[in-house]
Amino acid sequence: MPQTSLPKPGVLLVVSGPSGAGKTTLCQRLSVEDPNVIHSVSCTTRAPREGETDGESYFFLNVEEFEKKIENGEFLEHALVHGNHYGTLLEWVRKHLASGTHVVMDIDVQGAEQIRNHPDPFIAECRADLFIFLSEDELTSRLHARASESEDQLAVRLKNARDELAQWPNYQYVISSRSREEDYARFCAIVEGEKQRSIDEVAR
């Protein structure tokens, strides 16, 4: 009987960078333009906002459900942010990667560190890291341009962003942000390179 070959595993691209770097926009755009790429869907305990759909925007859980999943080791990474839990389900990511779908996820440096240290060998095999780097002047300019926060909130974001910028040496790839189109072109080139690496490794 002819053998049925398994699909080549997808690439898990973990994208970090300070607030204002545009990482979410890059991931969302790629998932729209490339049918073989999916933007990771997180779990959260916060209430749905207008227009958000369970299973598409987030998986909405109550605190008890979320904490149970933590106890069972079901998260690839998770964190408590401003009183709400957020996390990425390990099985959700594994399922898509095993089917050959590429998964992009935008996440803070703490979440990226959890993924980097996760014991699952399949995740380690599929994972690649990308950091979007901004100069401090550009970072300050982009955050001010949002005009959506008080001066105190902005000061906190800037301090957190400076701490995050110091983490770039921990990543395999770094994009020094320029224009949105230049960033996207380099982002796509990195993804295509990782896709090819995955194919080459399976072929060996």
Side-chain angles (χ1 to χ4, degrees):
M1 294 181 64
Q3 290 187 338
T4 303
S5 60
L6 294 172
K8 299 176 181 65
V11 172
L12 171 61
L13 188 63
V14 178
V15 185
S16 299
S19 184
K23 55 188 180 293
T24 301
T25 301
L26 291 177
C27 291
Q28 289 177 339
R29 179 175 173 182
L30 184 63
S31 68
V32 169
E33 296 185 3
D34 188 333
N36 202 34
V37 172
I38 190 168
H39 189 196
S40 177
V41 179
S42 299
C43 297
T44 185
T45 57
R46 75 158 172 77
R49 295 170 183 159
E50 185 177 353
E52 291 183 332
T53 304
D54 185 48
E56 293 181 10
S57 308
Y58 287 93
F59 296 109
F60 293 100
L61 306 175
N62 61 41
V63 173
E64 184 180 353
E65 290 171 328
F66 198 103
E67 291 179 344
K68 188 67 173 176
K69 289 184 182 298
I70 293 176
E71 289 176 17
N72 293 338
E74 295 181 46
F75 286 111
L76 177 58
E77 58 79 32
H78 64 90
L80 181 64
V81 182
H82 305 307
N84 294 307
H85 290 283
Y86 293 85
T88 306
L89 290 169
L90 174 60
E91 263 322 296
W92 187 93
V93 174
R94 286 184 108 268
K95 176 186 71 175
H96 286 288
L97 293 174
S99 72
T101 301
H102 309 291
V103 179
V104 291
M105 58 190 303
D106 57 285
I107 194 165
D108 64 21
V109 294
Q110 290 83 9
E113 183 68 12
Q114 288 184 48
I115 296 171
R116 202 175 288 124
N117 293 322
H118 198 279
D120 189 308
F122 183 62
I123 293 296
E125 177 187 331
C126 295
R127 179 188 54 79
D129 288 340
L130 168 65
F131 191 87
I132 312 294
F133 188 91
L134 287 170
S135 69
E136 190 161 325
D137 286 345
E138 180 65 18
L139 175 65
T140 303
S141 174
R142 289 192 189 183
L143 288 177
H144 274 292
R146 290 181 173 186
S148 60
E149 295 163 317
S150 69
E151 285 300 315
D152 287 344
Q153 290 172 324
L154 187 59
V156 170
R157 279 201 179 271
L158 282 169
K159 180 188 180 303
N160 291 341
R162 292 186 191 104
D163 292 341
E164 289 178 321
L165 286 172
Q167 300 299 314
W168 72 263
N170 297 324
Y171 289 74
Q172 293 165 270
Y173 300 99
V174 177
I175 291 177
S176 183
S177 184
R178 297 174 186 169
S179 71
R180 299 296 189 193
E181 289 305 314
E182 287 179 291
D183 290 356
Y184 185 65
R186 285 181 288 170
F187 181 62
C188 290
I190 289 168
V191 174
E192 287 304 315
E194 282 296 318
K195 287 180 184 178
Q196 187 58 51
R197 180 181 66 82
S198 175
I199 292 170
D200 291 344
E201 288 182 354
V202 170
R204 284 202 293 268

